[in-house]
Amino acid sequence: MAILDKIIRNDAMRNDPKEIYGWRVWVLATAACFGGMLFGWDIGAIGGIMVMPSFKAKFGLADKSSSEVATLVSNIVSVLQAGCFVGSLVAYWVADRWGRKPSLLGSAFISIVGIVIQTSSSGHIAALYVGRFIAGLGVGAASMLTPLYVSENAPRSIRGALTGMYQLNITIGIMMSFWVNYGSLKHSVGDTQWEVPLATQMLAGVFMFVGVSLCNESPRYLAKQDNWEKATDTLVKIRNLPADHPYVRMELEDMAEQLESERRIIGGSSFMDLQREMWTIPSNRKRGLISIGLFICQQMTGVNAINYYAPTIFEGLGIVGTSNGLFATGVYGIVKVVTCAFFVVFCADSLGRRLSLLWTAIAQGIFMFIIGIYVRTNPPIEGAPIPPFGYVALVCIFLFVAAFEVGWGPACWIIVSEIPTARLRAMNVALAAATQWLFNFVVAQAVPHMLVSAGKNGYGTYFIFGSFSFAMFFFTWFLIPETKGVSLEKMNELFGEVPSSKMEGEEAQIGHANTKHAGSETISNEGRSEKALDSTHVETK
């Protein structure tokens, strides 16, 4: 993997053994990240499908007023977000109880079932709602599970690139759905115009199910379950190193040390124990709030307003005709894929997460304000050619999404999957994903109405989202540290975790009774961990 040395610049890449970048970890990340394609394909498909004449006629949109259509459209889009919100929260419990791999397989299967129901809805709006909610359960679960699973398997030096593949697959799904919509509109007739774009979403679910079924369980999940023998075997396989290699021993010992330290603080592993661990310990609370804040910010950039309603937005900027609008969204999808791929390859583990967030926040705000000024001062006139300022605004749509895909798109998923402690990682990622879906729902509900009522021609929509982008610069500047090249087990130090020598004082503050119970459990857990590690122990220098 000599090419990685030339592309990725961080200390871990220079110091870690080259064998760890073998094909297995790339295949694993690719298979799991089809969960992102599920998400992206729906985002791109539904917006284009709802402007197709055949869909409007089949579901009765053609005979409704503009306000009624706006309400129905927002409901069709938003019911998926409702399912995603529930799915992302339930997936946390499933992933911690039965493992990351079985949970990913389940999410793929549920998504496929939901897509089948949508495709066969045949004009029944209730069936469309049910199908989208069920698909949402699977898509939401995958949005939480995929970054979690990939980050727990990835080497620290390329963790950003591998986890960023989730966002890359979202953009690929969006792009492919845009072009499927365009091709279906041009070459299909009748109900197949909208049925084909809905049905093809299943491809991502099928690829995800088949790919993940061939992959391993997360070694960090196995360690969390005290299955050290299997954790070692799995780590040996995906790192392409022998069990007695110092790098493998370092990872295993870091896992054991972190788990034992966390157990020493709270001890129990019930839901309430983990809640106390997350919200009463300052470093954990900070990480939880950062994760929630990141996804509030991500959605308030307004990117999903464009993703869901791109044809409508392009029409508002002067591109007329369903076919032309879908073609413009197809180009928009290509821009998303190219720029996200650029981030994954050249920025995630070299430039880093923090700098990417900082400069793109400012860029996004500028582009949104330019679009808003155009819509406010020189809106397109039906039948008239697009004015020069209109072309500037159209270019700003593409520049905006380019900035998003080299910052707030992939970086948020990377950060929230890597900063939590081992015991809280699934819960933390679930809360972040649920926040993403909640605000995704808010945006999907609000934007059709904002485009009608937020000022003439909806110009205020762009000023609102642009203002949020400017505010995100300060959020990042004061709260987000750089995490590139830092191992998952060293995040505690980055966020000011209390050293192990001071943990007894923390225990006393949390509660003597709970600590007493935790002590006996910790001794048992430490004994099991040390026994497992001693079976293959070598000294690391």
Side-chain angles (χ1 to χ4, degrees), residues 73 223 408 539:
V73 164
W408 287 89
E539 292 295 329

Side-chain angles (χ1 to χ4, degrees), residues 186-242:
K186 296 286 285 185
H187 302 292
S188 299
V189 294
D191 291 343
T192 56
Q193 274 189 344
W194 59 270
E195 288 173 342
V196 168
L198 280 177
T200 50
Q201 296 177 74
M202 282 188 287
L203 291 173
V206 170
F207 291 152
M208 178 183 173
F209 188 91
V210 173
V212 172
S213 66
L214 301 175
C215 296
N216 56 269
E217 180 55 272
S218 159
R220 285 174 170 83
Y221 170 78
L222 295 170
K224 187 169 175 282
Q225 302 303 113
D226 278 325
N227 191 347
W228 290 98
E229 182 177 353
K230 194 167 183 179
T232 302
D233 292 342
T234 301
L235 199 61
V236 164
K237 181 182 293 185
I238 61 175
R239 293 293 181 264
N240 197 31
L241 293 170

Side-chain angles (χ1 to χ4, degrees), residues 56-283:
K56 290 181 177 180
K58 193 71 174 181
F59 287 88
L61 273 67
D63 302 325
K64 298 185 182 298
S65 66
S66 59
S67 61
E68 289 175 324
V69 170
T71 299
L72 192 59
V73 164
S74 65
N75 288 341
I76 291 171
V77 171
S78 301
V79 72
L80 182 113
Q81 277 71 40
C84 290
F85 179 80
V86 175
S88 61
L89 290 176
V90 172
Y92 140 71
W93 179 78
V94 176
D96 265 2
R97 184 174 180 85
W98 285 295
R100 296 14 174 172
K101 178 180 175 178
S103 303
L104 281 166
L105 294 173
S107 68
F109 178 77
I110 292 170
S111 298
I112 292 170
V113 171
I115 292 167
V116 170
I117 295 173
Q118 290 179 70
T119 306
S120 57
S121 57
S122 189
H124 299 285
I125 195 70
L128 184 65
Y129 285 156
V130 169
R132 286 185 63 74
F133 182 81
I134 292 173
L137 293 174
V139 172
S143 72
M144 172 263 163
L145 293 164
T146 299
L148 172 70
Y149 178 69
V150 174
S151 69
E152 289 188 340
N153 280 278
R156 60 185 180 180
S157 53
I158 57 170
R159 189 176 60 244
L162 292 178
T163 310
M165 286 173 63
Y166 176 73
Q167 178 70 21
L168 178 60
N169 271 264
I170 293 176
T171 63
I172 292 172
I174 292 172
M175 180 193 70
M176 292 178 68
S177 67
F178 284 163
W179 288 109
V180 169
N181 285 352
Y182 179 73
S184 185
L185 181 69
K186 296 286 285 185
H187 302 292
S188 299
V189 294
D191 291 343
T192 56
Q193 274 189 344
W194 59 270
E195 288 173 342
V196 168
L198 280 177
T200 50
Q201 296 177 74
M202 282 188 287
L203 291 173
V206 170
F207 291 152
M208 178 183 173
F209 188 91
V210 173
V212 172
S213 66
L214 301 175
C215 296
N216 56 269
E217 180 55 272
S218 159
R220 285 174 170 83
Y221 170 78
L222 295 170
K224 187 169 175 282
Q225 302 303 113
D226 278 325
N227 191 347
W228 290 98
E229 182 177 353
K230 194 167 183 179
T232 302
D233 292 342
T234 301
L235 199 61
V236 164
K237 181 182 293 185
I238 61 175
R239 293 293 181 264
N240 197 31
L241 293 170
D244 60 353
H245 192 282
Y247 185 88
V248 173
R249 301 309 312 157
M250 176 192 70
E251 278 205 80
L252 289 169
E253 289 169 1
D254 283 348
M255 290 180 206
E257 181 180 352
Q258 185 185 37
L259 287 167
E260 288 162 11
S261 296
E262 292 168 18
R263 286 165 179 152
R264 202 173 288 128
I265 296 175
I266 296 292
S269 58
S270 69
F271 177 79
M272 291 309 300
D273 289 328
L274 295 178
Q275 289 298 312
R276 283 196 297 273
E277 190 170 338
M278 173 167 280
W279 302 114
T280 63
I281 297 171
S283 67

Side-chain angles (χ1 to χ4, degrees), residues 203-374:
L203 291 173
V206 170
F207 291 152
M208 178 183 173
F209 188 91
V210 173
V212 172
S213 66
L214 301 175
C215 296
N216 56 269
E217 180 55 272
S218 159
R220 285 174 170 83
Y221 170 78
L222 295 170
K224 187 169 175 282
Q225 302 303 113
D226 278 325
N227 191 347
W228 290 98
E229 182 177 353
K230 194 167 183 179
T232 302
D233 292 342
T234 301
L235 199 61
V236 164
K237 181 182 293 185
I238 61 175
R239 293 293 181 264
N240 197 31
L241 293 170
D244 60 353
H245 192 282
Y247 185 88
V248 173
R249 301 309 312 157
M250 176 192 70
E251 278 205 80
L252 289 169
E253 289 169 1
D254 283 348
M255 290 180 206
E257 181 180 352
Q258 185 185 37
L259 287 167
E260 288 162 11
S261 296
E262 292 168 18
R263 286 165 179 152
R264 202 173 288 128
I265 296 175
I266 296 292
S269 58
S270 69
F271 177 79
M272 291 309 300
D273 289 328
L274 295 178
Q275 289 298 312
R276 283 196 297 273
E277 190 170 338
M278 173 167 280
W279 302 114
T280 63
I281 297 171
S283 67
N284 290 342
R285 182 170 61 246
K286 180 179 180 180
R287 284 178 270 190
L289 292 174
I290 284 174
S291 298
I292 292 170
L294 278 170
F295 276 108
I296 293 174
C297 291
Q298 187 199 64
Q299 292 307 302
M300 296 313 294
T301 61
V303 68
N304 278 328
I306 302 174
N307 291 339
Y308 285 124
Y309 306 113
T312 303
I313 289 172
F314 280 120
E315 182 179 350
L317 295 178
I319 294 181
V320 296
T322 302
S323 178
N324 290 336
L326 291 179
F327 181 81
T329 59
V331 177
Y332 171 86
I334 292 173
V335 173
K336 286 177 71 70
V337 171
V338 171
T339 51
C340 188
F342 178 84
F343 172 85
V344 168
V345 175
F346 296 105
C347 300
D349 293 302
S350 298
L351 180 62
R353 292 60 144 158
R354 175 180 161 84
L355 283 177
S356 298
L357 293 177
L358 285 170
W359 78 264
T360 55
I362 298 298
Q364 289 166 179
I366 291 171
F367 298 137
M368 275 292 184
F369 265 69
I370 292 173
I371 298 166
I373 292 169
Y374 163 68

